[in-house]
Amino acid sequence: MDSRVWTLRGVRYGVPFAEMINYEDSEHTPDSNSFASTHLIRESDGAAMVLAEQAYKEGDQITESYGALTNGQLLLWFGFIPSQNQMDCLEIQLPDLFNNQVTQVDERLRVLAKNGIRGSSVCVKDSDLLAKLLPVFRALDLSTSEMESTTASQLQKPFSPKRESRVVSRMREFLSGLLQKYSTAVERDERSLKGQIANENRKLAIRLRVGEKRFIKRAISLLDSMKNRVKKAEAIKEDL
């Protein structure tokens, strides 16, 4: 049912024919308000209206973006994964970042919220991996006295080469753990996709997890390069 109705300001509307418009990744970056800005219920008579996101000629197929949805959400709610999706990301649950070695979890969550990282999860793309995740892991490294005085701008840059090395190592360890939770390696999944998969749902599920694994592996590679730079900076500081 969710794939066949509009949800606008918490109200669900069944709009015949409107739910039949096919998906296409938008030329513009959608956000949480983009769907509501192009799908309207007129207050005067209750008429439903869909505003085109681009110009169309007679005979063109009308398509639309379904909003700021990841590949996982599109698969769950609509049963497909697009070939391109600028809103796709890896959703990381913040509680998963806290292990037995992390104390004062609630306080750290409040520090993150104070610095603009709210909710129970963070959605990370290739383009903002470091900008979004590094501040989170820097917050995990804060002492009790540092938590109250740390500002958003301070979380956006290293405290010191030594601490940044620890932060990067912890972040790499976490991502490696995510990769190990999958029951198959990405290479095996890629071989499966090249073969014949009769079940379309299974094929889509494999495509989804391949995308997730590739992202994690790229992130780990990026962190390895970053850790080498941090080590060099740490060595230079010790020589001074």
Side-chain angles (χ1 to χ4, degrees), residues 14-133:
V15 185
F17 298 106
E19 90 274 2
M20 298 175 67
I21 300 177
N22 285 331
Y23 170 92
E24 185 175 26
D25 195 20
S26 175
E27 295 180 0
H28 312 288
T29 302
D31 56 32
S32 58
N33 298 316
S34 58
F35 187 87
S37 65
T38 55
H39 298 71
L40 310 173
I41 301 296
R42 194 162 56 196
E43 292 185 3
S44 59
D45 58 5
M49 298 182 291
V50 181
L51 306 183
E53 297 177 341
Q54 61 189 49
Y56 290 97
K57 304 189 300 293
E58 183 177 349
D60 287 347
Q61 178 185 184
I62 297 175
T63 59
E64 65 176 353
S65 165
Y66 290 178
L69 301 178
T70 67
N71 283 353
Q73 290 169 324
L74 288 170
L75 178 58
L76 178 64
W77 295 337
F78 301 102
F80 72 93
I81 296 176
S83 57
Q84 291 184 329
N85 179 12
Q86 61 176 312
M87 297 310 297
D88 191 33
C89 63
L90 180 69
E91 187 172 11
I92 295 176
Q93 302 297 321
L94 290 182
D96 291 344
L97 302 178
F98 302 109
N99 54 35
N100 294 333
Q101 298 175 340
V102 178
T103 60
Q104 298 174 295
V105 171
D106 290 340
E107 288 81 354
R108 293 180 196 279
L109 287 173
R110 279 196 288 270
V111 170
L112 292 175
K114 184 177 69 173
N115 290 285
I117 304 171
R118 297 180 177 85
S120 61
S121 65
V122 57
C123 210
V124 185
K125 297 189 284 187
D126 277 329
S127 58
D128 58 17
L129 168 70
L130 299 183
K132 279 194 173 181
L133 268 192

Side-chain angles (χ1 to χ4, degrees), residues 13 38 50 73 78 140 148 151 165 181 211 213:
Y13 299 91
T38 55
V50 181
Q73 290 169 324
F78 301 102
L140 296 183
E148 288 303 320
T151 64
S165 179
K181 288 182 179 180
K213 293 173 189 177

Side-chain angles (χ1 to χ4, degrees), residues 108-175:
R108 293 180 196 279
L109 287 173
R110 279 196 288 270
V111 170
L112 292 175
K114 184 177 69 173
N115 290 285
I117 304 171
R118 297 180 177 85
S120 61
S121 65
V122 57
C123 210
V124 185
K125 297 189 284 187
D126 277 329
S127 58
D128 58 17
L129 168 70
L130 299 183
K132 279 194 173 181
L133 268 192
L134 273 176
V136 174
F137 280 86
R138 287 174 185 142
L140 296 183
D141 197 57
L142 295 175
S143 66
T144 303
S145 59
E146 291 171 326
M147 280 192 284
E148 288 303 320
S149 59
T150 301
T151 64
S153 60
Q154 287 174 313
L155 284 178
Q156 292 297 327
K157 55 188 179 182
F159 291 106
S160 69
K162 185 175 182 179
R163 291 188 70 169
E164 192 70 357
S165 179
R166 187 166 63 230
V167 166
V168 172
S169 294
R170 177 178 282 175
M171 189 168 161
R172 190 193 190 286
E173 181 182 351
F174 172 76
L175 290 172

